[in-house]
Amino acid sequence: MKFVVSSSELLYHLQAVSRVVSNKSTIPILENILFELGEGKLTITASDLESTMVTSMALDNIEGDGTIALPAKILLETLKKFPEQPITFDIAMDTKKVDIITDKGKFSVIGLDGDEFPEIPSIDADKASRLQVPASLALSGINKTLFATADDELRPVMNGILIEMSPENLTFVASDSHKLVRYQRTDATTEFTSSFILPKKPASFLKNVLVKEDGDISIEFDDKNAFFQMENHQLVCRLVEGNYPSYNAVIPQDNPNKIIINRQEVVNSLGRVSLFSNQASNLVKLSIDGDDLMVSAQDIDFSISAYEKLSCQYDGEPIEIGFKSAFLAELLDNISSEDVVMELADPARAGIFLPVDNEGPEDELMLLMPMMINA
Amino acid sequence: MNQEENIQQEENKVRKIIHIDMDAFFASVEQRDFPELKGKAIVVGSPSLRGVIAAASYEARKFGVRSAMPSQTALKKCPQLIFQNHRFDVYKAVSKQVMDILHDYTDLVEPLSIDEAFLDVTTNKKNLRSATLIAQEIRQRIKEETQLTASAGISVNKFVAKIASDQNKPDGVFVIKPNEVVPFIEKLPIKEFFGVGKKTAEKMNKLGIYTGKDLQAWSLNGLVRSFGKVGNFFYSISRGVDDRPVRPNRTRKSVGIENTFYEDLNTDEERLEQLNVLIDGLWNRSARRDIYGRTLTLKVKFSDFIQQTHSKTLLNKLTLKDEIASIAKQLMQEVKFDKKVRLMGLSISNLEGEETNSQPVQLTIDFD
């Protein structure tokens, strides 16, 4: 078989799927990308067994059809170095020899039999649920929550994003048990109530291609796999099996002390003050008294300390609470509004962080457990 | 301010610390009370198969006999070695006599053990300006009142004073003046550093650190990276800096119990039985004195004297016997028992109110 393709367009498509390719797979064929020629298009597939990403491009200049698996790394590295030009793939199906013919020369590799590539799992139609949302909405959901997923071998459910759908809303939840994010959209509902847990790896693959998508994303899932169909990409992935902990129960409803802070100001201050925190604990203290917010840190071992006074809006009793600086900064970085409402109860209970304009179809909530100075 | 006043000021800042160390204490008490032992290689301890030497006379040390050495090893080194049973009541009484003498000079006396103590004599009850003079007086009085000898180290801080007392042992005095501290430490082999154990010394040697001067070449960050928190201490002492005050009421750091067995333990049942004995004993000591800590440590010494310790630190102090028992059993499961067990010990540390208690703790969400 033979086809002619624009080098930059091919690179664009390969890069979309190449993140799925693992470099140290136990199955050698997974270090390859599957090329499938037929019906006037080239379909490109990469898989790590857990996730499979597919993209395709229409081509005019095609001879024959069939499949072949090509080594991903060398292909990508070479394509990156080509100036834009039409290149010809000439594949001898019997010997699997692949000649990549350019303006100036020829690059030859040996491919593998495309039939050896693992089959894409299919969704069990009897058990399947389906929903369709704008790609941008799915992207926000993943963007807001991915950072809060855990790396916990003992509790795999925590290593993914819980996606819950209901007639009221669509909810994305992630937690590593220090922090928790709940992102809800009332503008995406389903007639049924269901949920699945999307592992963090395919979630990040999805995040990567959703940026390139405009239209809708259709999601079909059963109890084992989910199938994401976008205009230009498809992703099939295995889901995390098990039950997500009941996250709503751990979100305090009535934290009495509400403080409005300027998000960027606090993030910047944390960046400076936390350099003076103990390296092991990374503890910063927030002391709020009226409209003063003091951010402070110290490292007794090295006798260094720092504080900064910022302004905030607060009219309750003075309160002090400690947080791991890196956690707090990361969390604030992921809130979209300029001002953030911080709802606190006491130094030993979860703090809640909300965008000040938490209205409309978006409902965003972040929770962070404090650090106790004396446990 | 004129120059003289300036010097006076400087002098006022420098502390005068004495380390008093009784010479071969237990063995010397025995030789004092049983004159026929004078001049002989004697040890305090039991010659039994499982005995360990508590103290050795200088005559015995010439044969390479050391405290903490198994009696059988010591006998091989010195077949004519005389074993004396210990008489702790006597040692305690003598120790008290010595400590009383020290208290005549200052209340800043910090006993390190039964036979050694630090004194801060920067200001003292006798208004003596010379620490050397005080040390000589103390040694003279100890000799008169107890017929025993003590060595003294004098310098500007605890670390250097402690090392100094070892320099002219026995029955000697060694002074390291403020301007001699740094050159002295530079020359000092790392294994003689007070606070550097065998393991740390080995690690330092591997890193090319053999003397104080080698240690000085390291940055604070480098030391902290390689040795953790104690790297701070190494950084300071290599420069002769040790600001630790002499603390008259040394607070207890741990409470523990250990047993050397008559016969090495070989089965799970035996080990569990002995562990239960230790748990009972530890609980008695802990509860009776109302001492509770957050860290439980299990020590196991095998028949070949190789020792392992396993410990677990909890968020809250251990106040229940059942808790101690269950953690002790967990710890025991971490030990690989491929050899017979000679000794087991159990201790609680990280006691309430200690500074280390204030390590901040990241709280977690309580999912059910």
Side-chain angles (χ1 to χ4, degrees), chain B residues 29-48:
Chain B
V29 174
E30 293 305 313
Q31 287 178 321
R32 176 193 74 176
D33 295 350
F34 304 96
E36 66 274 19
L37 300 175
K38 279 208 175 108
K40 297 213 171 114
I42 74 142
V43 290
V44 174
S46 149
S48 71

Side-chain angles (χ1 to χ4, degrees), chain A residues 57-319:
Chain A
M57 53 199 294
L59 294 179
D60 305 328
N61 202 339
I62 293 179
E63 275 175 38
D65 54 22
T67 63
I68 187 148
L70 294 182
K73 202 175 165 196
I74 193 163
L75 199 58
L76 268 161
E77 292 305 314
T78 338
L79 277 171
K80 275 184 205 161
K81 301 211 160 63
F82 284 150
E84 159 57 13
Q85 61 186 295
I87 48 177
T88 305
F89 280 72
D90 191 352
I91 301 146
M93 295 305 282
D94 48 348
T95 59
K96 309 289 176 218
K97 182 163 179 274
V98 181
D99 291 333
I100 304 164
I101 301 151
T102 68
D103 278 355
K104 295 199 174 71
K106 190 170 86 174
F107 300 78
S108 300
V109 292
I110 300 293
L112 292 172
D113 190 346
D115 294 341
E116 284 176 32
F117 213 80
E119 242 177 84
I120 299 176
S122 57
I123 305 292
D124 184 343
D126 294 342
K127 294 183 193 161
S129 307
R130 196 179 158 278
L131 75 151
Q132 187 164 340
V133 295
S136 58
L137 190 154
L139 180 61
S140 306
I142 293 173
N143 269 340
K144 287 285 177 197
T145 50
L146 187 57
F147 82 96
T149 52
D151 273 307
D152 188 343
E153 280 177 27
L154 296 174
R155 286 194 297 172
V157 292
M158 307 301 284
N159 302 343
I161 301 172
L162 172 71
I163 301 177
E164 272 186 330
M165 54 229 81
S166 75
E168 288 82 44
N169 51 31
L170 178 66
T171 307
F172 298 77
V173 178
S175 174
D176 63 1
S177 80
H178 297 313
K179 50 188 179 284
L180 180 145
V181 181
R182 186 187 69 190
Y183 178 74
Q184 281 179 326
R185 293 291 293 244
T186 52
D187 54 349
T189 57
T190 50
E191 284 165 10
F192 57 92
T193 301
S194 186
S195 71
F196 64 89
I197 303 167
L198 176 65
K200 64 197 295 181
K201 215 166 149 195
S204 80
F205 298 150
L206 205 52
K207 172 179 160 176
N208 224 36
V209 293
L210 277 169
V211 209
K212 301 173 179 169
E213 296 280 349
D214 295 325
D216 276 359
I217 176 169
S218 133
I219 307 167
E220 201 178 359
F221 62 96
D222 58 20
D223 52 347
K224 295 216 161 45
N225 297 291
F227 182 76
F228 300 87
Q229 174 74 57
M230 293 148 278
E231 214 169 281
N232 304 312
H233 301 89
Q234 293 162 21
L235 176 78
V236 187
C237 71
R238 197 179 295 164
L239 298 173
V240 185
E241 289 178 49
N243 294 321
Y244 206 83
S246 55
Y247 61 90
N248 274 321
V250 303
I251 301 175
Q253 300 302 318
D254 46 5
N255 274 1
N257 305 306
K258 296 183 172 40
I259 304 118
I260 298 177
I261 57 173
N262 180 287
R263 189 177 64 90
Q264 201 55 52
E265 212 175 271
V266 175
V267 170
N268 292 346
S269 178
L270 287 172
R272 292 182 290 265
V273 172
S274 69
L275 295 173
F276 292 75
S277 69
N278 178 283
Q279 285 185 7
S281 71
N282 195 221
L283 169 74
V284 290
K285 202 164 75 179
L286 305 185
S287 316
I288 303 122
D289 188 353
D291 289 345
D292 288 329
L293 164 66
M294 187 166 84
V295 181
S296 63
Q298 61 171 339
D299 186 350
I300 297 166
D301 295 348
F302 291 90
S303 301
I304 55 175
S305 64
Y307 74 86
E308 280 192 359
K309 279 190 175 162
L310 312 176
S311 55
C312 65
Q313 295 173 43
Y314 177 57
D315 52 13
E317 289 292 301
I319 180 166

Side-chain angles (χ1 to χ4, degrees), chain B residues 346-362:
Chain B
L346 207 54
S347 65
I348 296 177
S349 53
N350 240 326
L351 302 183
E352 220 180 338
E354 260 183 70
E355 286 164 83
T356 47
N357 241 359
S358 59
Q359 274 296 333
V361 178
Q362 171 67 51

